[in-house]
Amino acid sequence: MPELNLVQAINTTLAQEMERDERLVLLGEDVGANGGVFRVTEGLQARFGAERVVDSPLDESGIMGAAIGLAMGGMRPIPEIQFEGFLGPAYDQLVNHAGRMRNRTRGAIAVPMTVRVPWGGGIHAPELHSDSPEAIYTHHPGIKVVVPSTPRDAKGLLLAAIRDPDPVVFFEPKRVYRSYKEEVPEEDYTIPIGQAKMVSEGTDVSLITWGSMVFECLAALDNLPEDVSVELIDLRSINPFDRDAVIQSVQKTGRCVVVHEAAKTAGMGAEIATVIQEEAFLHLQAPVQRVTGFDTIMPYYKLENEYLPSAKRIQEAVEQVLAY
Amino acid sequence: MPELNLVQAINTTLAQEMERDERLVLLGEDVGANGGVFRVTEGLQARFGAERVVDSPLDESGIMGAAIGLAMGGMRPIPEIQFEGFLGPAYDQLVNHAGRMRNRTRGAIAVPMTVRVPWGGGIHAPELHSDSPEAIYTHHPGIKVVVPSTPRDAKGLLLAAIRDPDPVVFFEPKRVYRSYKEEVPEEDYTIPIGQAKMVSEGTDVSLITWGSMVFECLAALDNLPEDVSVELIDLRSINPFDRDAVIQSVQKTGRCVVVHEAAKTAGMGAEIATVIQEEAFLHLQAPVQRVTGFDTIMPYYKLENEYLPSAKRIQEAVEQVLAY
Amino acid sequence: MPIRTVYKAQIDHMQILDEDGKLDEKLAKNTLTDEQVVHLYEQMTICRTLDEVAFKLQRSGRMGTYPQNKGQEANAVGAAIALEKGTDWLVPCYRENAALFMHGLPMHYILLHWMGDERGNQIPDGLKITPLSIPIGTHMLHAVGIAWAMKLRKERGVACTFFGDGATSEGDFHGAMNFAGTQQVPCIFYCQNNQWAISVPREIQTAGETIAQKALGYGMPTMQVDGNDIFAVYKATKDAADRARAGGGPSFIEAITYRLGDHTTADDAKRYRSAEEVDSWKLKDPLIRTRKYLERKDQWSDKKQSELDERAKKITAEVVKTAEGIEKPHTDDMFNHLFSEIPAELRRQRDTLRTHSLGQEPGQVGLRAPGQAEHV
Amino acid sequence: MPIRTVYKAQIDHMQILDEDGKLDEKLAKNTLTDEQVVHLYEQMTICRTLDEVAFKLQRSGRMGTYPQNKGQEANAVGAAIALEKGTDWLVPCYRENAALFMHGLPMHYILLHWMGDERGNQIPDGLKITPLSIPIGTHMLHAVGIAWAMKLRKERGVACTFFGDGATSEGDFHGAMNFAGTQQVPCIFYCQNNQWAISVPREIQTAGETIAQKALGYGMPTMQVDGNDIFAVYKATKDAADRARAGGGPSFIEAITYRLGDHTTADDAKRYRSAEEVDSWKLKDPLIRTRKYLERKDQWSDKKQSELDERAKKITAEVVKTAEGIEKPHTDDMFNHLFSEIPAELRRQRDTLRTHSLGQEPGQVGLRAPGQAEHV
Ligand SMILES: Cc1ncc(C[n+]2csc(CCOP(=O)(O)OP(=O)(O)O)c2C)c(N)n1
Ligand SMILES: Cc1ncc(C[n+]2csc(CCOP(=O)(O)OP(=O)(O)O)c2C)c(N)n1
Ligand SMILES: [Mg+2]
Ligand SMILES: [Mg+2]
């Protein structure tokens, strides 16, 4: 099995699936000769031609709307939005068209497409290049949202997303792109959307997160006393998310910390905490705690590390939850 | 004191404030000769001229972006977006520019504007005319969000919003526009953004809501046994919301139901429930319950009433929370 | 060269059938046969009758807001007959009812839609039609994508999208035009410039002298036609479709027309436009003009007219009956079609019709056994 | 009339100073004095020196991503000198550094910005400049609003907004052009068409033959200029500003130019464009051409050049020192400026630097007494 980083895993998976399914078309800014600004689509235009790997005009709403039309016309588009901050102009097409089409036509018209979007902070990029808007696209019904944190998961989730008959937003944690390698099976496999991954089993406290924060949580675990048994869950899918995994874990541990990069208020941490208190109320030994970005704009990079949840902040929250 | 409905209260307040402050400019689709599709700006163009009450091209992003520029240039624009469903095209300008400008310029440039938007369901309108996206604009830092439920509150909150040095989204519950009248003082008064209203005091359960759901909650109260003492709180401001009022109420009652029109998942109900369990954990006698829109698209009007929280659903949740 | 000209353009306006029903024979060559004209006249009449019926339904509380097509019918029928049913896609806004009917949409679908029922959008299999689009100016991008798909799949189809003058101000109009141009997709942009976007007149919508000139920025062939003239509409659409099929890419058509009614039943056009203006446009009504032409060619009579009126009444009465005969949808319907497979939590919401989750023993609250899959 | 012409247009391209430094005297009349040309040459040289310094800062890890202006400097300085400092607004993208400096922005602000510090956007009082705009194509609407505000306030200022060829594809470009046209605001749309949007060439960006023709759709005066020619840039901008001040509304300028460097320090332009293409544009470099002109007019010498180079080095070294001397911002800074008054919960987050709320006695967890107001 080859060792791949996240960029390579997505790249090879795209190639593999484009080989298998002629309906796949990639479109986006700089995805062609340049191979994308993160090189995720490197070599694909040379291999599959400029008809299937399309450099688009600089217009995210156009990319999204045209992709919706391509899907309605029988293709399986994979639009790329260059950074999650530029989903803004495409928001209306995504939530009000892609997310509604099947429902408003009572199943007559579907929009099978996978929207690939580099996501999250941690790479010292300019403004609007480090956000994490997963809660936004989860609150709007009709769109699936996934955030793989490792190359192996990325492959399985990407294949599941592409083959899903509905629109999926596939957020790619930039910080992980080249910072982590693992063996990725060459064969075809999918990971069901909506299934969390148990990263480490534990009995004292549940730690729930996704994306690059999985690694920050792992770092936090390293600093915790040996006898603290943490159950670390990588949610992987945000919409729908694995309620069962979350609830069962907290029913077991009675304590929970949710960690995400996005701002706290009305973020996914709130939903997860609420589901826990709704469904595991009598098991809870302490309030569910949120370790998240602050309720302010993701700062320019000098303060980026202060904004993002750190291993230290996570550790502190875990300790306090345990001490409650 | 004149008895006014919500439309009249907003209309007269706009006129009053335009008289006082020359920097105010209204802009939007059909706000001029037509007085807005809900007649909220009726008569204002005739009174203040076409330079201050501007019929704009059909372009919500343009309206929002130009309003931001007007604010940067020293005016106090009041853009109207015709229905909340059409905030979609204006989303990027609103969250990524209006919401960020002060912070990204470290206070050098501000965007004082009030975005008026008819909001919510219940009037049997076509698709995208009945949504309630308050959680979206609350999750994105930098924008204040208010939802007055009565004419008197509307006046006080609108004046506070217009005079606020930062962008405020002013959601107007359509269902209330002409369905409720009350006396509205003629004099100038503001209601601080961030301050909830105690609609009725109680000791058994806190019922927290906003917008037209205030009236649905009142209807639910009518159907509850006399001896059930419900504390009904009209949140009025969503961002920031009155954490103190919520927490203190639940510390007293130990039980809480949150009601809103928007879809459940990642809606404001989650944030409120989470804050409650964070800050009043040991007082909670039962899980906080959410009575909300379902996690699907607001249906066309034949099923609209089935989608929206009803007095019956609210009553049921209150009874179950009490029985827990 | 210090100053040199780098670009030149010119836009023409075409009219074939004038307001008195007189035809320009040269331009009319190879356009519509008399038989076709009769057919289009009938379609326009039925559509207008439906408008009247729909208006009454709304007024009597049996239907929600409805936008009449009155006055603009020539655009729909002239374009529809120039396109191939089942091959070409129609991507409408909401003032092209007759085009949809001609391409196979059962008439009661339109009423169902405005009666607040998504099943009015549940386009029957085989029809190449997208549902009415409520958010203005956003659906043209879908037409571009559909046309693009046809190009990639080497199908001969063309996508024709309809929209109003107001829609040309939206950002997505710009995107659609630009993508269509750069990808050279077989797409026709049909703008029904009816002079108003609700209460906003064309002059406030854009500072350009014409709408047609907007296409110049995208290197797209463009022209103006008299949109109340079925011949001109037909010819412009047919030429654009032929060009698209031959690989010539997209085209833009600005059709000058007028809505004779209110914007919708929720509107009162008297608030913002003069009776004189409306009256002057009544003289240009496509129905009157087409009838005059047919009379001139001895293809029409009062008898035929009253037969047609009778038939239109019967058809539309039947349509109303069908639409009103359809039972209110089951609440399940609002959950079942969000995704191809309904997620577990949404299924719970559907089955319990509630979002709150109390009422069961804690410990078994709505939980399935681990790993137990959900199937619909 | 069956067919009649309803619209005609023509677009011209203007060059005054050619690639060899030769001037078209007639067109150059009333444009730049020799003294001004020297000044602009100096400004361009300093800006280019800053580019080189910035590049090295990035490569040595002392600064984040940086977009060089190299090759495009004539646009910035030619436009800046045509506009009135302190009266007219500059609403830039990120390749107009020299214009901002000429209108008063301290040079270290630009470095601070790219060093990941919002204080680089904290425009000093009195300057009419908006900060660099990262999201492409969105800031032109702000220029329109600012211009509109000046019109309403009866000020004589003009807003000039800069953007690239790629930016013209965004929906907000369309909106900005349309609002500017309908409101007839004093706004200049200055498009630096440098042939590329990162790796996407102009031909893939739009099917139009020119970018300038995009303005036709909005009824806006439009032209092309040689963007590496300070005279042409000056004249086009000055004419547009004069027209705007006289109430003539907005104008569009497409300036043909080229970025000689990579898109940013994160880019490698060799992946997508040929050395021949870059070489051919090196010959059109505005610095070379301006120097040739000055030499031709005996206004320049090798000595002056080495003095200037020396001075540029000193200035930019000073700027780097200033920027690097500014201490990392306090974490409070990311909270203090979100709103004019900091809300209570955000204040708690600022003061505790955490989002979770445990650690105090339950019952007093982070709560203030009821009614106790928060003041900053
Ligand atoms: C995005 C969006 N904004 C606003 C509206 C409200 N609205 C409905 S129709 C309309 C005017 C449309 O004008 P035009 O495009 O000329 O079409 P017409 O109705 O004249 O056929 C407006 C503003 C909407 N439906 N969608
Ligand atoms: C809305 C948005 N989409 C994408 C990007 C990423 N991006 C940054 S610069 C750029 C190309 C800009 O091209 P152009 O407008 O021609 O300006 P140039 O860089 O050539 O000066 C892109 C795609 C962005 N910053 N903003
Ligand atoms: Mg119209
Ligand atoms: Mg460029």
Side-chain angles (χ1 to χ4, degrees):
Chain A
M1 262 196 283
E3 274 224 327
L4 303 179
N5 65 24
L6 190 63
V7 169
Q8 293 163 332
I10 298 172
N11 179 276
T12 53
T13 305
L14 286 172
Q16 203 169 318
E17 190 70 353
M18 288 185 77
E19 203 70 72
R20 207 185 67 86
D21 187 344
E22 286 211 330
R23 297 168 305 174
L24 261 53
V25 179
L26 312 192
L27 66 160
E29 296 154 13
D30 306 292
V31 299
N34 205 32
V37 293
F38 288 104
R39 309 286 179 255
V40 174
T41 55
E42 173 138 38
L44 298 181
Q45 190 180 64
R47 180 157 162 199
F48 296 101
E51 283 221 324
R52 294 187 64 197
V53 181
V54 183
D55 275 325
S56 78
L58 211 174
D59 171 13
E60 289 77 14
S61 191
I63 293 168
M64 195 67 75
I68 291 170
L70 280 164
M72 291 166 76
M75 306 301 287
R76 294 250 166 175
I78 307 186
E80 173 184 300
I81 300 296
Q82 204 161 72
F83 286 87
E84 78 296 313
F86 310 133
L87 269 174
Y91 165 89
D92 187 54
Q93 282 290 340
L94 182 51
V95 306
N96 288 334
H97 290 283
R100 287 176 191 249
M101 193 64 78
R102 180 188 290 277
N103 182 67
R104 68 191 279 270
T105 62
R106 288 295 181 254
I109 304 180
V111 181
M113 72 171 178
T114 301
V115 185
R116 288 188 40 252
V117 195
W119 169 95
I123 63 159
H124 275 23
E127 88 181 296
L128 282 167
H129 289 62
S130 306
D131 290 339
S132 25
E134 65 274 16
I136 300 294
Y137 299 97
T138 298
H139 183 49
H140 283 293
I143 306 155
K144 297 184 181 173
V145 178
V146 301
V147 189
S149 70
T150 74
R152 191 194 295 234
D153 283 358
K155 174 168 182 172
L157 280 167
L158 183 55
L159 288 179
I162 294 174
R163 295 173 193 172
D164 196 286
D166 288 307
V168 180
V169 176
F170 189 85
F171 282 127
E172 303 171 1
K174 299 175 207 99
R175 197 186 198 173
V176 183
Y177 264 152
R178 293 172 191 281
S179 68
Y180 178 76
K181 280 195 167 200
E182 69 181 352
E183 292 195 330
V184 178
E186 278 171 288
E187 69 266 16
D188 191 304
Y189 64 96
T190 59
I191 295 173
I193 294 175
Q195 204 175 81
K197 178 169 72 178
M198 179 81 75
V199 180
S200 72
E201 279 194 62
T203 51
D204 295 340
V205 58
S206 304
L207 188 54
I208 297 168
T209 194
W210 53 92
S212 65
M213 283 297 129
V214 170
F215 298 94
E216 209 63 31
C217 286
L218 284 168
L221 295 198
D222 285 345
N223 296 331
L224 282 166
E226 283 260 320
D227 62 340
V228 175
S229 168
V230 179
E231 181 142 304
L232 176 58
I233 292 177
D234 178 353
L235 214 53
R236 297 197 296 201
S237 292
I238 312 301
N239 192 20
F241 72 93
D242 195 336
R243 294 166 58 97
D244 291 359
V246 168
I247 295 165
Q248 281 158 25
S249 177
V250 182
Q251 283 180 336
K252 178 172 64 176
T253 62
R255 293 178 157 86
C256 182
V257 173
V258 188
V259 181
H260 61 64
E261 298 189 18
K264 183 182 74 160
T265 294
M268 279 309 294
E271 179 60 33
I272 293 164
T274 302
V275 165
I276 290 171
Q277 66 94 38
E278 282 170 354
E279 306 286 359
F281 186 70
L282 297 180
H283 299 82
L284 269 181
Q285 307 290 322
V288 180
Q289 291 300 302
R290 297 182 278 180
V291 180
T292 68
F294 297 104
D295 283 326
T296 182
I297 307 297
M298 162 66 82
Y300 283 17
Y301 77 72
K302 273 187 185 170
L303 289 177
E304 178 176 29
N305 291 342
E306 280 75 3
Y307 181 89
L308 291 171
S310 60
K312 185 157 165 298
R313 273 173 69 203
I314 298 166
Q315 181 196 337
E316 210 179 287
V318 168
E319 283 167 351
Q320 290 184 357
V321 164
L322 284 167
Y324 190 84
Chain B
M1 263 195 285
E3 275 226 325
L4 303 179
N5 65 25
L6 190 62
V7 168
Q8 294 163 330
I10 299 172
N11 179 276
T12 53
T13 305
L14 287 171
Q16 203 169 316
E17 191 69 353
M18 287 184 77
E19 203 70 70
R20 206 186 67 89
D21 187 346
E22 285 212 329
R23 298 168 305 172
L24 261 53
V25 178
L26 312 192
L27 67 159
E29 297 153 13
D30 306 292
V31 299
N34 205 32
V37 294
F38 288 105
R39 308 288 178 255
V40 173
T41 55
E42 173 138 39
L44 298 181
Q45 189 180 64
R47 179 156 164 201
F48 296 101
E51 283 220 326
R52 294 187 65 196
V53 182
V54 183
D55 275 324
S56 78
L58 211 173
D59 172 13
E60 289 77 13
S61 191
I63 293 168
M64 195 68 74
I68 291 170
L70 280 165
M72 292 166 74
M75 306 300 288
R76 294 250 166 175
I78 307 186
E80 173 184 301
I81 300 297
Q82 203 161 71
F83 287 87
E84 78 297 313
F86 309 134
L87 268 174
Y91 165 88
D92 187 53
Q93 283 290 341
L94 181 51
V95 306
N96 288 335
H97 291 283
R100 287 176 190 250
M101 193 65 78
R102 179 188 290 277
N103 182 66
R104 69 190 278 270
T105 62
R106 287 296 182 254
I109 304 179
V111 180
M113 71 171 179
T114 301
V115 185
R116 289 188 40 251
V117 195
W119 168 96
I123 63 158
H124 275 23
E127 85 181 299
L128 282 166
H129 288 63
S130 306
D131 289 340
S132 26
E134 65 275 16
I136 300 296
Y137 299 98
T138 298
H139 183 48
H140 285 292
I143 307 154
K144 297 185 182 172
V145 178
V146 301
V147 189
S149 70
T150 74
R152 190 193 297 232
D153 283 358
K155 175 168 183 174
L157 280 166
L158 182 56
L159 288 179
I162 293 173
R163 296 173 194 173
D164 197 287
D166 289 306
V168 181
V169 177
F170 188 85
F171 283 127
E172 303 170 0
K174 296 174 209 105
R175 198 186 196 171
V176 183
Y177 265 151
R178 294 173 189 280
S179 67
Y180 178 76
K181 280 195 167 200
E182 68 181 352
E183 291 194 331
V184 178
E186 277 171 288
E187 68 266 17
D188 192 303
Y189 63 99
T190 59
I191 295 174
I193 293 174
Q195 202 175 82
K197 177 170 71 177
M198 180 81 74
V199 181
S200 71
E201 278 195 65
T203 52
D204 296 341
V205 58
S206 305
L207 190 52
I208 296 167
T209 193
W210 53 91
S212 65
M213 282 296 128
V214 171
F215 298 93
E216 208 64 30
C217 286
L218 285 168
L221 295 197
D222 284 345
N223 296 330
L224 282 166
E226 284 260 321
D227 63 339
V228 174
S229 167
V230 179
E231 181 141 304
L232 177 57
I233 292 177
D234 178 352
L235 215 49
R236 297 196 296 200
S237 291
I238 311 300
N239 191 21
F241 72 92
D242 195 335
R243 293 166 58 96
D244 291 0
V246 168
I247 296 165
Q248 280 157 24
S249 178
V250 181
Q251 284 180 337
K252 176 172 64 175
T253 61
R255 293 179 158 85
C256 181
V257 174
V258 188
V259 181
H260 61 63
E261 298 189 17
K264 182 183 76 159
T265 295
M268 280 309 294
E271 179 60 35
I272 293 163
T274 301
V275 165
I276 290 171
Q277 65 95 39
E278 281 170 355
E279 306 287 359
F281 186 69
L282 297 180
H283 299 83
L284 269 182
Q285 308 290 323
V288 180
Q289 291 299 303
R290 296 182 278 180
V291 180
T292 68
F294 297 104
D295 283 327
T296 183
I297 308 298
M298 163 66 81
Y300 284 16
Y301 77 73
K302 274 188 184 170
L303 289 177
E304 179 177 27
N305 292 342
E306 280 77 2
Y307 181 89
L308 291 171
S310 58
K312 183 154 168 300
R313 273 173 69 202
I314 298 166
Q315 180 197 340
E316 210 180 287
V318 168
E319 282 168 355
Q320 290 184 359
V321 164
L322 285 168
Y324 190 84
Chain C
M1 247 194 308
I3 293 210
R4 61 177 210 274
T5 297
V6 287
Y7 180 76
K8 274 189 172 185
Q10 165 177 333
I11 296 176
D12 290 336
H13 176 284
M14 175 169 69
Q15 184 193 59
I16 303 181
L17 182 69
D18 77 9
E19 295 161 30
D20 296 323
K22 272 195 226 119
L23 201 69
D24 183 288
E25 298 290 348
K26 216 171 118 206
L27 285 171
K29 219 165 142 186
N30 295 324
T31 57
L32 299 170
T33 64
D34 282 353
E35 205 179 333
Q36 286 176 316
V37 175
V38 169
H39 178 59
L40 299 190
Y41 181 64
E42 290 171 350
Q43 294 301 313
M44 292 196 287
T45 305
I46 293 166
C47 184
R48 184 155 310 176
T49 310
L50 187 71
D51 260 6
E52 282 154 21
V53 169
F55 185 84
K56 284 184 202 139
L57 284 176
Q58 191 278 336
R59 282 297 186 265
S60 56
R62 289 153 69 191
M63 193 165 75
T65 306
Y66 177 85
Q68 292 196 323
N69 292 198
K70 189 174 175 183
Q72 304 185 209
E73 297 91 342
N75 298 282
V77 302
I81 201 171
L83 298 164
E84 297 178 16
K85 178 177 163 183
T87 299
D88 297 334
W89 276 86
L90 300 185
V91 184
C93 184
Y94 48 70
R95 282 196 220 280
E96 298 81 22
N97 287 348
L100 309 182
F101 301 152
M102 284 173 65
H103 277 236
L105 190 75
M107 287 175 70
H108 69 274
Y109 272 59
I110 295 294
L111 296 190
L112 257 191
H113 174 104
W114 297 111
M115 283 174 174
D117 191 326
E118 284 87 350
R119 288 170 296 180
N121 296 338
Q122 198 178 25
I123 312 294
D125 256 16
L127 297 190
K128 301 214 151 160
I129 295 174
T130 60
L132 305 193
S133 181
I134 297 301
I136 296 295
T138 56
H139 61 290
M140 294 93 98
L141 269 168
H142 308 159
V144 170
I146 289 170
W148 190 351
M150 289 191 287
K151 184 180 173 185
L152 288 170
R153 296 157 71 105
K154 311 217 180 337
E155 296 169 3
R156 74 182 300 272
V158 164
C160 180
T161 181
F162 298 89
F163 50 91
D165 43 313
T168 65
S169 294
E170 287 284 358
D172 279 357
F173 165 76
H174 181 61
M177 295 289 286
N178 197 38
F179 268 77
T182 51
Q183 291 299 326
Q184 288 291 297
V185 301
C187 186
I188 303 171
F189 291 87
Y190 195 107
C191 178
Q192 292 210 48
N193 174 4
N194 65 3
Q195 317 305 322
W196 292 89
I198 309 187
S199 72
V200 178
R202 220 300 265 129
E203 306 73 53
I204 291 190
Q205 201 60 244
T206 168
E209 297 84 343
T210 68
I211 300 278
Q213 75 205 59
K214 287 186 185 273
L216 298 176
Y218 314 95
M220 198 184 291
T222 179
M223 75 177 308
Q224 247 188 14
V225 299
D226 181 336
N228 290 0
D229 161 2
I230 50 174
F231 287 88
V233 168
Y234 169 81
K235 187 170 161 52
T237 311
K238 185 68 167 50
D239 288 352
D242 288 348
R243 183 162 53 234
R245 276 190 237 288
S251 298
F252 189 87
I253 298 169
E254 177 190 3
I256 309 291
T257 185
Y258 197 78
R259 76 167 148 76
L260 289 173
D262 294 330
H263 170 69
T264 64
T265 48
D267 179 52
D268 174 9
K270 282 194 222 73
R271 293 174 68 90
Y272 51 79
R273 62 185 196 183
S274 69
E276 295 78 62
E277 178 181 309
V278 179
D279 287 344
S280 78
W281 279 94
K282 278 189 185 150
L283 303 174
K284 303 183 188 179
D285 187 329
L287 268 69
I288 297 176
R289 164 183 334 193
T290 309
R291 179 174 172 173
K292 277 189 187 157
Y293 168 77
L294 286 176
E295 282 171 348
R296 209 182 277 274
K297 296 203 72 178
D298 249 358
Q299 301 283 327
W300 204 249
S301 63
D302 285 354
K303 181 156 164 281
K304 281 189 176 162
Q305 184 68 38
S306 56
E307 275 169 18
L308 173 59
D309 289 342
E310 213 38 57
R311 189 147 65 85
K313 256 189 218 148
K314 252 178 77 181
I315 289 171
T316 52
E318 202 54 49
V319 167
V320 172
K321 218 173 111 189
T322 309
E324 292 197 321
I326 290 170
E327 264 179 68
K328 183 173 162 170
H330 193 278
T331 51
D332 281 8
D333 284 16
M334 66 183 179
F335 300 96
N336 284 348
H337 301 282
L338 189 67
F339 294 112
S340 73
E341 262 192 71
I342 184 165
E345 164 59 14
L346 189 58
R347 187 193 179 104
R348 187 187 70 77
Q349 292 181 20
R350 178 192 72 185
D351 295 345
T352 61
L353 278 181
R354 57 184 207 205
T355 47
H356 68 281
S357 49
L358 272 175
Q360 295 168 310
E361 280 301 287
Q364 42 160 269
V365 268
L367 276 183
R368 300 183 311 287
Q372 198 180 307
E374 279 289 335
H375 290 292
V376 197
Chain D
M1 249 194 308
I3 294 208
R4 61 177 211 273
T5 298
V6 287
Y7 181 75
K8 272 189 173 184
Q10 165 177 333
I11 296 175
D12 290 336
H13 175 283
M14 174 168 69
Q15 186 192 58
I16 303 181
L17 182 68
D18 77 9
E19 296 160 31
D20 296 323
K22 272 194 225 119
L23 200 68
D24 183 289
E25 298 290 348
K26 215 171 119 206
L27 285 171
K29 222 167 142 183
N30 297 324
T31 57
L32 300 170
T33 64
D34 283 353
E35 205 179 331
Q36 286 177 316
V37 175
V38 169
H39 178 60
L40 298 190
Y41 181 64
E42 289 171 351
Q43 294 301 313
M44 292 197 287
T45 304
I46 293 166
C47 184
R48 184 154 314 172
T49 310
L50 187 71
D51 260 7
E52 281 153 22
V53 169
F55 185 84
K56 284 184 202 136
L57 285 176
Q58 191 278 335
R59 282 298 187 266
S60 57
R62 290 153 67 192
M63 193 167 75
T65 306
Y66 176 84
Q68 292 196 323
N69 292 199
K70 188 175 176 184
Q72 304 185 207
E73 297 91 343
N75 298 283
V77 301
I81 201 172
L83 298 165
E84 296 178 16
K85 179 177 161 184
T87 299
D88 297 333
W89 276 85
L90 301 184
V91 184
C93 184
Y94 48 70
R95 281 195 220 280
E96 298 81 24
N97 288 347
L100 309 182
F101 302 152
M102 286 172 66
H103 278 235
L105 191 75
M107 286 176 70
H108 69 274
Y109 273 59
I110 293 295
L111 295 190
L112 257 192
H113 174 105
W114 297 112
M115 283 174 172
D117 192 325
E118 284 87 351
R119 287 170 297 180
N121 297 338
Q122 201 177 21
I123 311 295
D125 255 17
L127 298 190
K128 300 214 151 160
I129 293 174
T130 61
L132 306 192
S133 179
I134 298 300
I136 297 294
T138 57
H139 61 290
M140 295 93 97
L141 269 168
H142 308 160
V144 171
I146 289 170
W148 189 353
M150 289 191 286
K151 184 179 173 186
L152 288 170
R153 296 155 72 104
K154 311 218 181 333
E155 295 169 4
R156 75 183 297 272
V158 164
C160 180
T161 180
F162 299 89
F163 50 91
D165 42 312
T168 66
S169 294
E170 287 284 359
D172 279 357
F173 165 76
H174 181 62
M177 296 288 287
N178 196 40
F179 269 77
T182 53
Q183 291 299 325
Q184 287 290 297
V185 301
C187 187
I188 303 172
F189 291 87
Y190 194 106
C191 178
Q192 292 210 49
N193 173 5
N194 65 2
Q195 318 305 322
W196 294 89
I198 310 187
S199 73
V200 178
R202 220 300 266 127
E203 306 73 54
I204 291 189
Q205 200 61 243
T206 167
E209 296 85 343
T210 68
I211 300 277
Q213 75 205 58
K214 286 185 187 275
L216 299 176
Y218 314 95
M220 199 185 291
T222 179
M223 75 177 309
Q224 248 188 14
V225 299
D226 182 336
N228 291 1
D229 162 1
I230 51 173
F231 288 87
V233 168
Y234 169 81
K235 187 171 162 49
T237 311
K238 186 70 169 49
D239 290 351
D242 288 347
R243 183 163 50 234
R245 277 190 236 288
S251 299
F252 190 87
I253 298 169
E254 175 189 5
I256 308 291
T257 187
Y258 196 78
R259 74 168 149 77
L260 289 172
D262 294 330
H263 169 70
T264 65
T265 48
D267 179 51
D268 174 8
K270 283 195 221 72
R271 294 174 67 90
Y272 52 80
R273 64 186 194 182
S274 69
E276 295 78 60
E277 178 181 308
V278 179
D279 287 344
S280 78
W281 278 93
K282 280 189 183 149
L283 303 174
K284 304 184 188 176
D285 187 330
L287 268 70
I288 297 178
R289 155 179 347 188
T290 309
R291 178 173 173 173
K292 278 189 186 159
Y293 169 77
L294 287 175
E295 283 171 348
R296 208 181 278 272
K297 296 204 72 180
D298 249 356
Q299 301 285 326
W300 205 246
S301 63
D302 285 355
K303 183 158 163 276
K304 282 191 176 161
Q305 182 69 38
S306 55
E307 276 169 20
L308 173 58
D309 289 344
E310 215 38 58
R311 189 150 62 87
K313 254 187 217 150
K314 253 179 75 181
I315 290 172
T316 52
E318 204 53 50
V319 167
V320 171
K321 221 174 110 190
T322 310
E324 290 195 324
I326 289 169
E327 264 180 68
K328 183 174 161 169
H330 193 279
T331 52
D332 282 7
D333 284 18
M334 66 182 178
F335 300 96
N336 285 348
H337 301 282
L338 189 66
F339 295 111
S340 72
E341 263 192 70
I342 185 166
E345 163 60 13
L346 189 59
R347 187 193 179 101
R348 187 186 70 78
Q349 292 181 20
R350 178 191 72 184
D351 294 346
T352 61
L353 278 180
R354 57 185 208 204
T355 47
H356 68 281
S357 47
L358 272 176
Q360 294 166 307
E361 281 300 285
Q364 44 160 267
V365 269
L367 276 184
R368 300 183 311 285
Q372 197 180 309
E374 280 287 336
H375 290 292
V376 197

